[in-house]
Amino acid sequence: MLSFCHYDSPVGRLLLGATEEGVVMCDWEESRRHAGNLLRLGVRQPLLTEDPTELMCLTAKQLDEYFASQRHFFTLPISFVGTPFQCLVWQELLMVPFGTTITYGMLAQRLGRAAAVRAVANAVGSNPLSILVPCHRVVGTDGNLTGYAGGLDAKRQLLHLESAPQ
C-alpha cells in the first residue's frame, strides 16, 4: 500500500509518500517533475491519508528535527523507485556529508563515470526524495547554485541551514 501526506516545511510544501518497505517520496508539491515521480510510482493521483502511517510521522518528525538544526542525517528506511543508474546516483548522494557541497562532475567521478556528467545531473534532477537524499548539496562546476526542484531559494535556504553553527 502506498500512502501520502503533506508536510509543510519552512522552505515549501512537500508530499511525503511511503509504503510498508520505506519512504518513496519527499517531493516538492509545486515541482515540475512531481507528476513524473508519481507516475514512476504507478500513481496517477495521490490519495492523501487523513491518518498518516507511523513511517510518515517518523519522517515528519525527522524533518522537523532537521529544520530545527537538531539532525544532520536521516535514519529512515528508504525505497528507491527508479532506474538502476538513478538509484546508484541517489545512493551516492547519501554519502555527501551534511554541510558540504559537491559538483556534478565530482559526483560523476565518485561513481567511476566521469564522462557521464549529464546523465548524473539528470538522475540528480529526478530524485523523488528531496532533502532526505540531499540533492540540494550538488552545485555547478563554479560553485554556483543550479536548478533545484524546490527552487533556488529553497536550495539556498537548505544550504544555509546546513552551514549554520551548531
Side-chain angles (χ1 to χ4, degrees):
M1 185 172 125
L2 183 58
S3 300
F4 292 95
C5 70
H6 286 116
Y7 175 80
D8 290 312
S9 85
V11 295
R13 193 169 211 205
L14 296 163
L15 182 65
L16 303 180
T19 65
E20 293 82 17
E21 290 81 37
V23 181
V24 295
M25 181 175 280
C26 181
D27 200 12
W28 302 96
E29 191 170 69
E30 299 300 320
S31 170
R32 289 178 298 180
R33 65 158 201 241
H34 183 72
N37 284 336
L38 286 171
L39 288 174
R40 191 169 46 237
L41 293 168
V43 176
R44 292 191 186 271
Q45 180 66 35
L47 297 173
L48 299 175
T49 180
E50 292 184 28
D51 186 24
T53 66
E54 185 177 325
L55 181 53
M56 284 191 209
C57 292
L58 179 61
T59 303
K61 178 182 183 291
Q62 289 194 17
L63 284 166
D64 287 343
E65 292 167 353
Y66 169 83
F67 284 111
S69 297
Q70 299 169 345
R71 176 173 289 279
H72 294 173
F73 59 92
F74 297 94
T75 57
L76 299 163
I78 290 177
S79 293
F80 291 127
V81 179
T83 67
F85 182 74
Q86 288 172 326
C87 294
L88 181 72
V89 172
W90 300 336
Q91 190 66 46
E92 190 63 32
L93 284 173
L94 291 171
M95 302 300 130
V96 180
F98 181 92
T100 65
T101 57
I102 188 172
T103 66
Y104 293 97
M106 292 166 61
L107 187 58
Q109 286 179 337
R110 283 173 51 166
L111 292 165
R113 306 206 178 165
V117 175
R118 284 189 183 201
V120 167
N122 284 334
V124 170
S126 298
N127 173 22
L129 290 155
S130 290
I131 304 173
L132 304 179
V133 176
C135 55
H136 60 278
R137 297 178 188 155
V138 184
V139 297
T141 304
D142 57 4
N144 285 328
L145 300 186
T146 56
Y148 185 62
L152 290 183
D153 190 50
K155 184 171 187 167
R156 188 175 297 106
Q157 289 179 59
L158 292 170
L159 292 173
H160 178 74
L161 170 80
E162 293 187 8
S163 68
Q166 301 302 312

